[in-house]
Each structure stands twice: as structure tokens, then as C-alpha cells.
Amino acid sequence: MSEREQRTLTGGAIGAGGGAVLSGISGGRPAVGAAVGGAVGALTGYILGDRNARHRR
């Protein structure tokens, strides 16, 4: 697995967990929070992984 893929997966997992917790605390639906948080986290991880990969070249 490349570093970009690892960061995307890690970001998605952290985002999903955080989104579920925050949504549950705020009275929303944890599943929706997990889905949104996972998507945002994965995108952030992808962007950061891509930026780091370009920086090393």
C-alpha cells in the first residue's frame, strides 16, 4: 500500500469515528456523521498524502 493510500484509509477511519461520536453527542444520527466524517477524512488524507508524495520528488 502506498503512503497516499495509507493516509486516505487512516483519514477515513478517523473521520468516520469522529463524525459518529460528534453526531451522537449533538443528537444527530451517528451513521450519517460517520459517513460524512469518513468522506471528509478520506479526502483530507488523500490530499495530504498526495502533497507529501509530490514534495519528496
Side-chain angles (χ1 to χ4, degrees), residues 4-27:
R4 180 185 309 161
E5 292 168 335
Q6 289 174 352
R7 288 182 183 267
T8 302
L9 183 61
T10 302
I14 292 169
V21 169
L22 290 175
S23 181
I25 289 171
S26 69

Side-chain angles (χ1 to χ4, degrees), residues 27-45:
R29 294 185 175 183
V32 173
V36 172
V40 171
L43 179 61
T44 302

